[in-house]
Amino acid sequence: APFIHLNDVSLRYGESGEGVEALKRLSLNISRGEFTAVVGPSGCGKSTLMRLLSGLTPCSSGKVCIDGKQVNQPLKTVGMAFQNSALLPWRTALENVLLPLEVVEPYRRDFRRDKARFVERARALLARVGLSGAEDLYGWELSGGMQQRVSLCRALVHEPEILLLDEPFGALDAFTREELWDILQQLWLDRGFTAMLVTHDLPEAVYLADSVHVISERPGYVVHTSHIDLPRP
Ligand code: ADP
Ligand code: ADP
């Protein structure tokens, strides 16, 4: 069975489902360890798909399964990074990376018991993305590229099985973006998590992903998905 399985999923926002239909009859299968990109025009439901997979939002109909289990609550096996890196400016890079461990059970308990181990893990991650020596800089002191590096570390510090990336590099200049591509690819090769990247940037999708899903909005609000297998370099 595929690691991530969406079968005929629709999602309509609003209390009693009277709002916008953000996804309509989407079916998708993703293997464990795969790097998938999702592209499509603004408003086609890419962020909504991420929210479904994180367990933050339930679907209105259809089925979302991860590792054979139906998703119906926020998942701890998921890490997320966004275009707006959402770092806390008055916390250091290191403190920002540690944040999920302080907030999410059961990591919270483990973290209080064995802080040194997790600090070591966070430092190693920061070193992995080229931020050795920047651990104690405050969020507000970091450049956009550095913030996204920290944001990747924060998304991975609890060692999730799935990494969800919602246009993480959309606000960066072209040079910084390509540096970040290599960093992300290296993290993925090292750690073997399953990645899903939402992007507007087709070269980015092609560079990073094993497969690209194109979601397009058509008259009648039907969402189409096609699967393109790309050879890896
Ligand atoms: P994308 O990420 O592809 O731009 P979204 O998933 O953000 O698309 O949005 C899909 C549709 O659902 C859009 O029409 C958007 O306005 C609507 N939408 C997104 N989030 C909400 C929300 N929390 N409440 C109501 N409508 C929403
Ligand atoms: P993106 O295109 O990157 O998904 P958006 O600007 O569409 O970003 O949405 C930003 C936030 O606003 C999201 O959290 C989304 O859920 C929310 N949102 C988008 N459209 C609506 C809407 N029509 N009603 C309520 N919330 C919305």
Side-chain angles (χ1 to χ4, degrees):
F3 184 51
I4 297 175
H5 173 66
L6 275 80
N7 185 31
D8 209 15
V9 169
S10 299
L11 189 148
R12 199 182 270 283
Y13 282 106
E15 292 276 312
S16 46
E18 76 289 357
V20 183
E21 186 155 49
L23 282 177
K24 187 162 181 177
R25 310 203 60 175
L26 181 69
S27 295
L28 203 59
N29 287 317
I30 295 165
S31 310
R32 192 190 282 274
E34 196 177 342
F35 198 128
T36 304
V38 176
V39 299
S42 206
C44 74
K46 302 185 294 297
S47 300
T48 300
L49 172 60
M50 299 293 231
R51 233 170 284 140
L52 274 174
L53 291 177
S54 70
L56 292 173
T57 306
C59 53
S60 311
S61 67
K63 208 159 80 167
V64 180
C65 294
I66 293 178
D67 206 8
K69 286 184 284 287
Q70 201 154 345
V71 175
N72 49 20
Q73 57 175 28
L75 293 171
K76 296 182 189 70
T77 52
V78 171
M80 296 182 84
F82 313 92
Q83 174 165 350
N84 163 10
S85 65
L87 300 189
L88 300 181
W90 298 108
R91 286 190 149 223
T92 66
L94 182 66
E95 289 166 348
N96 268 288
V97 175
L98 292 171
L99 203 60
L101 301 175
E102 290 172 30
V103 177
V104 181
E105 295 290 0
Y107 305 109
R108 211 157 101 103
R109 231 170 316 128
D110 300 343
F111 180 64
R112 278 185 302 218
R113 211 171 290 152
D114 191 3
K115 199 165 167 180
R117 178 163 67 97
F118 292 101
V119 168
E120 211 34 64
R121 192 196 281 177
R123 283 184 180 283
L125 267 169
L126 284 165
R128 195 75 198 74
V129 301
L131 287 180
S132 293
E135 296 94 338
D136 299 326
L137 293 179
Y138 285 100
W140 64 267
E141 294 181 285
L142 304 171
S143 70
M146 291 166 95
Q147 288 181 35
Q148 282 305 343
R149 290 174 200 231
V150 173
S151 172
L152 287 176
C153 295
R154 184 184 51 187
L156 293 172
V157 74
H158 62 301
E159 300 184 334
E161 292 181 78
I162 300 172
L163 179 62
L164 301 176
L165 303 146
D166 198 344
E167 287 192 73
F169 313 137
L172 302 178
D173 66 82
F175 180 75
T176 308
R177 192 181 316 143
E178 289 185 22
E179 281 183 342
L180 269 288
W181 291 356
D182 286 331
I183 286 167
L184 174 57
Q185 187 171 60
Q186 214 51 57
L187 286 168
W188 174 71
L189 290 169
D190 283 358
R191 284 152 196 268
F193 48 80
T194 305
M196 181 183 277
L197 170 74
V198 164
T199 182
H200 281 115
D201 183 3
L202 211 45
E204 177 170 296
V206 170
Y207 188 83
L208 286 168
D210 294 313
S211 61
V212 179
H213 299 273
V214 183
I215 302 183
S216 59
E217 210 176 335
R218 296 280 169 79
Y221 216 74
V222 177
V223 176
H224 295 276
T225 302
S226 30
H227 191 102
I228 309 161
D229 281 307
L230 300 164
R232 287 202 80 76

